[in-house]
Amino acid sequence: MTDVFLAGATGNLGSQIAMRLRRERARVRALVRPANGRDEKVRALAEQGVEIVEGTLDDPAERLARAMAGAAVVISAVQGAENVIVQGQANLLRAAEKAGVPRLIPSDFAIDLFRLDPGDNVFLDHRRAAHDAFSGSRVAVTSVLNGAFTDVMTAPFLEIVDWDAGTFSYWGDGEQPCDFTTVADTAAYTVAVALDPDSAGRPVRVAGDVLTMKEFHAALEHGTGRRLHLKQRGDVEDLAAEIDRRRVGATHPGEYVALQYTWGMVSGKARLDPLDNDRYPAVRPTRVAEFARLLTI
Ligand SMILES: NC(=O)c1ccc[n+]([C@@H]2O[C@H](COP(=O)([O-])OP(=O)(O)OC[C@H]3O[C@@H](n4cnc5c(N)ncnc54)[C@H](OP(=O)(O)O)[C@@H]3O)[C@@H](O)[C@H]2O)c1
């Protein structure tokens, strides 16, 4: 039975990773922050046989090391600012070293952050900084890169789909292939990678679907049966200018980072290539049109 230590198990992705690990009969110990107000999630995890370990990424590495003793792999699905992604995950890696855990899957789960330059995406800068902190460790670090969560693509903060107005807005020419994977499929791939010791030490790139923005729009229309009027907002340079405009005077990266993710996709710079889907044939990912059929709007 593979023994997995999971941070971020109460989160959107982390909870699906935990449940999937249990389906694969792995032993799961989940690091859960005390009094985080997510009692129902914690109860659901415990009901599925997940062992709850109270603590945070800020705990002394010795304490975290004791909690993860005997694990074959540590998975991090945490979300947060620089202190969580860089310092918190570096602490998690130190704990893994102390405990003799051979592998870590950090909380990357994104477009290809290794192809981006500093400043292209503030949140992905943090993830590359975490990798700088990991370097030289004897713990093998394996990123899972999945492109955009299909589930998130229609969320208002991405400014793409407006169901009320009946519009689909895109930047660029709409012809650049982009990578999409649902949260559930990302969890499934992450579990497959966690249970595959040969994946150690290099990024694994997977995508549930590869579509241009125009194809994504068509798949959404097809799946939902809703018409969405196509609106081109500008070319890729216009998008870069809009990001710069919002960045000046922003009080929080949240005011412009969604557009930075879009830029990474529609510029083609953070495209996942080549894909490693064939390595994990047991995962049969959901296509965007299939996913859209299940959307309740
Ligand atoms: N590719 C995409 O389109 C896409 C979209 C969204 C997210 N993501 C990525 O997916 C990953 C998970 O995101 P998510 O949306 O699932 O996050 P989420 O729902 O916000 O969950 C974050 C998790 O991290 C935990 N956490 C935060 N700080 C912690 C700390 N200091 N110590 C221990 N645990 C801590 C939270 O615990 P509490 O319950 O205590 O708060 C929670 O379990 C991230 O890497 C994120 O960037 C990718």
Side-chain angles (χ1 to χ4, degrees):
M1 187 190 270
T2 308
D3 186 338
V4 181
F5 187 81
L6 173 64
T10 50
N12 185 19
L13 175 64
S15 56
Q16 299 202 41
I17 292 174
M19 296 307 185
R20 183 90 191 188
L21 281 166
R22 290 300 297 144
R23 264 171 54 193
E24 300 291 333
R25 310 211 173 284
R27 175 184 178 204
V28 186
R29 272 173 280 173
L31 181 74
V32 171
R33 292 198 284 191
N36 69 352
R38 304 216 216 196
D39 295 355
E40 243 171 68
K41 275 223 158 151
V42 177
R43 225 183 344 265
L45 290 167
E47 276 168 11
Q48 292 302 315
V50 173
E51 286 172 52
I52 307 297
V53 178
E54 283 205 349
T56 86
L57 292 188
D58 314 318
D59 287 349
E62 292 72 18
R63 184 169 190 271
L64 288 173
R66 278 196 298 278
M68 64 176 70
V73 55
V74 172
I75 305 176
S76 168
V78 298
Q79 178 64 304
E82 192 171 2
N83 64 316
V84 175
I85 298 300
V86 186
Q87 291 83 14
Q89 292 196 113
N91 193 38
L92 193 65
L93 180 101
R94 271 195 300 279
E97 276 180 339
K98 285 182 192 300
V101 179
R103 293 189 291 135
L104 168 76
I105 298 175
S107 197
D108 289 339
F109 308 113
I111 53 179
D112 199 333
L113 56 101
F114 301 109
R115 290 179 194 259
L116 294 179
D117 290 307
D120 284 344
N121 182 305
V122 58
F123 285 177
L124 299 182
D125 285 351
H126 296 159
R127 282 161 176 77
R128 279 198 316 281
H131 281 270
D132 290 344
F134 301 153
S135 74
S137 170
R138 60 175 177 273
V139 178
V141 175
T142 304
S143 297
V144 174
L145 300 175
N146 57 276
F149 284 165
T150 312
D151 327 43
V152 167
M153 285 299 293
T154 56
F157 73 91
L158 274 177
E159 304 173 28
I160 296 172
V161 179
D162 185 333
W163 296 111
D164 295 333
T167 55
F168 181 101
S169 305
Y170 67 98
W171 297 90
D173 61 7
E175 305 289 354
Q176 169 61 48
C178 305
D179 306 295
F180 305 97
T181 312
T182 64
V183 176
D185 291 337
T186 302
Y189 278 118
T190 303
V191 169
V193 170
L195 302 181
D196 169 18
D198 292 342
S199 68
R202 62 198 148 76
V204 173
R205 297 176 171 84
V206 290
D209 219 340
V210 181
L211 300 175
T212 66
M213 281 295 169
K214 285 182 181 168
E215 289 168 338
F216 185 84
H217 164 260
L220 267 191
E221 282 199 334
H222 185 72
T224 61
R226 288 277 302 268
R227 303 292 303 166
L228 289 168
H229 176 65
L230 267 176
K231 274 174 55 177
Q232 196 210 19
R233 294 186 65 180
D235 61 23
V236 173
E237 289 71 35
D238 295 328
L239 172 56
E242 176 64 14
I243 292 167
D244 284 344
R245 195 187 64 72
R246 292 192 194 186
R247 190 163 30 195
V248 175
T251 54
H252 187 272
E255 291 167 44
Y256 57 86
V257 74
L259 288 186
Q260 290 189 321
Y261 281 106
T262 299
W263 181 86
M265 294 170 73
V266 301
S267 66
K269 190 166 176 179
R271 173 103 193 265
L272 302 177
D273 186 31
L275 291 174
D276 299 305
N277 289 30
D278 290 349
R279 208 183 153 95
Y280 303 104
V283 182
R284 309 267 297 275
T286 311
R287 309 294 299 271
V288 171
E290 260 174 85
F291 179 82
R293 266 199 292 280
L294 304 174
L295 278 178
T296 44
I297 304 151

